Amino acid sequence: QKLCTMAGPDCSPQLIHPLPNKSLLLAVCAAGIGGTFQYGYNISVINAPTAYVQDFINQTWSKRYQTQISDDGLTLLWSTIVSIFTLGGLTGAMIGGTLSVRVGRKGTLLTNNIFAFLAALLMGLSYPTGLFELLIIGRFISGLNAGISICVQPLYLGEIAPTSLRGAMGMGTSIFITGGIFTGQVIGLRELLGKEEYWPILLSTTCIPAFLQLLILPWFPESPRYLLIDKGDEEGCKKALKQLHGIADCDGEREDIEKERNNLSGLQAKKPWELFADRSLRWQVLTIILLNAAQQLNGINAIYFYAGYVFKQSGIPTDKIPYATVGTGACECITALTCGMLIDCLGRKVLIMGGYTLMAICCILFTLTLTFQEASPVVPYLSMVCVFAFILSFGLGPGGVTNILTTELFTQNSRPAAYMLAGSVNWSSFFFIGLVFPFIVLGLKQYCFLVFLVICCLVIIYIFLVVPETKNKTFLEIQNEFQSSKKRQIGCSDGAGTILLSTSI
């Protein structure tokens, strides 16, 4: 870290963040392309061939049973193909942390590509073999791949980054998710692989990111923290730090890792259920559960549900709506990149609270514009502005900062278990909102956004009262801040007015 005196009323020195080492940036890209990129890509790529896959199911059913499939049966099969991805993701999240402890962060990411290749093969063979069941199995396996990726990649990025750049490097998770969504939307356009004859190839393209990761990631080291704390490999840790941070900057990080190792001496990696039994982690566990649930339940899925209707009402022709949808993907990408540049400057708390605050405002405005859609020709355009504003607000805070906080609120022995718990909550919430949301819309129509408004407001209050700022703090300093906060509450409640300050380690 470098200090530079900036002109200001108090003439206080301000922190200037050095640029990341080239090797560190490439390691982030190598982890991301076959990691959370797959999550975003597989969420969006399934939308383009919807009608073609349904035709394939219909034709296959007719040939097999000499009768037409019912509309309800077709809807059920298609819903299963789409939603089984979330069940695969939940399974992946539950095993990702364990794998990251046994074979390492990098080792898990590389091994995980087996699932991507298998999923691509099964989905590609579904059409020539006339077996739509292969699509269901393939989507489950691609969900398994995504679940492991979204659990282990943030873990790897958080552990290879220096303290001063941990936020920016951790945003690689969000950047690659949004990049995957955007790429899936673009590849699914009719000009590329969006035609009927290409849909099996389109669903098989999930093997390309996996191939790229197998080609690039082996050139980069395992997480230095994993090597020293989990494996006791001092030489390997030293080499990894030199490659990732450069010779000049590796000593400070090595010292920080040594302190954490000494603090955790004799402690084994925790299991997810052991987190609930540890009273010292109570607030951290509650925080990641609430933030990961809110990430899915804050209305972002509702916005995408209404986007097509809003675009149509704004006068965009039906055949041009996919291009407007690509615009929403580009919007998310730009916001994730912007958040990556701001997070180590403004801090995590400001961004995530700001994001939820803007989303709450958008919920109010979107409810009003949908209610008075017919009042004026201008109103549909205001609705379209609300769609993009909501997506921008989500990407600015909740979309990216949530994963970073999961990394930062825990130390080495509890971090993999925390990611398993966070991932399980996130995927369960994803499945729940997918199941319940159509009924919420049916019952409340546009007023469903008032439910999301309440959720956003409650999360803002919780973050303000409970979550500390983690910018430029080591993992041990963050843990001590939670402990000192708990002691202050105890000190205040016993009437003695005792104030206990955190110990600097």
Side-chain angles (χ1 to χ4, degrees), residues 15-57:
L15 192 68
I16 301 296
H17 297 290
L19 290 172
N21 186 291
K22 184 171 72 173
S23 182
L24 177 62
L25 274 177
L26 291 173
V28 170
C29 292
I33 192 66
T36 52
F37 181 91
Q38 294 276 39
Y39 170 81
Y41 187 76
N42 282 295
I43 282 176
S44 67
V45 81
I46 195 68
N47 294 322
T50 299
Y52 308 138
V53 174
Q54 288 179 346
D55 285 344
F56 163 64
I57 294 170

Side-chain angles (χ1 to χ4, degrees), residues 32-267:
I33 192 66
T36 52
F37 181 91
Q38 294 276 39
Y39 170 81
Y41 187 76
N42 282 295
I43 282 176
S44 67
V45 81
I46 195 68
N47 294 322
T50 299
Y52 308 138
V53 174
Q54 288 179 346
D55 285 344
F56 163 64
I57 294 170
N58 213 341
Q59 290 166 17
T60 305
W61 190 278
S62 298
K63 287 179 184 176
R64 194 183 294 178
Y65 302 108
Q66 284 76 50
T67 183
Q68 289 287 325
I69 188 172
S70 66
D71 289 341
D72 289 343
L74 182 61
T75 303
L76 178 62
L77 280 173
W78 172 246
S79 299
T80 304
I81 289 168
V82 174
S83 61
I84 199 83
F85 179 79
T86 60
L87 294 180
L90 178 60
T91 308
M94 291 169 73
I95 64 172
T98 304
L99 285 172
S100 72
V101 173
R102 291 187 179 177
V103 298
R105 285 49 162 158
K106 174 186 162 185
T108 302
L109 288 172
L110 290 172
T111 306
N112 191 32
N113 289 304
I114 295 169
F115 297 120
F117 284 118
L118 184 57
L121 180 66
L122 291 172
M123 289 189 289
L125 287 175
S126 62
Y127 181 75
T129 58
L131 295 170
F132 56 77
E133 292 86 353
L134 293 181
L135 285 174
I136 297 172
I137 301 168
R139 283 286 291 175
F140 177 83
I141 295 171
S142 65
L144 190 65
N145 169 268
I148 293 171
S149 296
I150 209 166
C151 176
V152 180
Q153 186 198 309
L155 196 58
Y156 181 67
L157 298 189
E159 292 181 3
I160 65 173
T163 303
S164 60
L165 291 169
R166 199 168 57 224
M169 295 299 100
M171 276 303 298
T173 298
S174 181
I175 289 167
F176 278 97
I177 289 174
T178 56
I181 292 171
F182 178 65
T183 305
Q185 290 169 340
V186 172
I187 296 291
L189 293 173
R190 288 186 61 82
E191 289 81 356
L192 296 172
L193 294 178
K195 292 181 181 176
E196 184 170 6
E197 60 268 29
Y198 295 143
W199 73 258
I201 300 171
L202 176 63
L203 297 183
S204 297
T205 51
T206 186
C207 68
I208 297 173
F211 176 74
L212 289 173
Q213 185 176 72
L214 286 175
L215 208 61
I216 305 167
L217 188 58
W219 298 97
F220 297 96
E222 178 57 89
S223 157
R225 287 179 182 275
Y226 175 78
L227 289 172
L228 186 61
I229 299 174
D230 291 73
K231 291 297 178 183
D233 184 357
E234 296 193 16
E235 192 58 36
C237 173
K238 193 174 179 181
K239 280 181 67 178
L241 286 171
K242 281 182 180 178
Q243 183 179 347
L244 293 167
H245 300 172
I247 297 171
D249 299 323
C250 69
D251 290 338
E253 288 300 319
R254 172 77 184 272
E255 197 176 314
D256 174 37
I257 298 171
E258 285 280 7
K259 285 178 182 176
E260 191 172 346
R261 181 172 73 161
N262 294 336
N263 190 63
L264 299 172
S265 180
L267 297 176

Side-chain angles (χ1 to χ4, degrees), residues 458-478:
L458 290 174
V459 173
I460 293 165
I461 294 166
Y462 179 84
I463 294 169
F464 178 76
L465 294 175
V466 174
V467 181
E469 179 53 70
T470 58
K471 180 181 74 170
N472 288 328
K473 292 175 184 173
T474 66
F475 296 125
L476 286 179
E477 286 170 344
I478 295 164

Side-chain angles (χ1 to χ4, degrees), residues 305-347:
F305 179 85
Y306 271 103
Y309 165 76
V310 169
F311 293 149
K312 192 174 181 180
Q313 289 294 107
S314 302
I316 298 174
T318 305
D319 61 327
K320 302 296 180 188
I321 286 177
Y323 300 96
T325 306
V326 168
T328 63
C331 180
E332 272 199 278
C333 277
I334 292 165
T335 316
L337 287 165
T338 305
C339 185
M341 291 185 281
L342 292 175
I343 192 165
D344 284 318
C345 174
L346 298 178

Side-chain angles (χ1 to χ4, degrees), residues 274-295:
E274 291 175 340
L275 297 180
F276 293 98
D278 191 337
R279 295 174 66 87
S280 68
L281 296 175
R282 181 179 295 170
W283 284 106
Q284 291 96 311
V285 170
L286 182 59
T287 298
I288 64 161
I289 288 173
L290 289 177
L291 291 184
N292 277 277
Q295 194 178 33

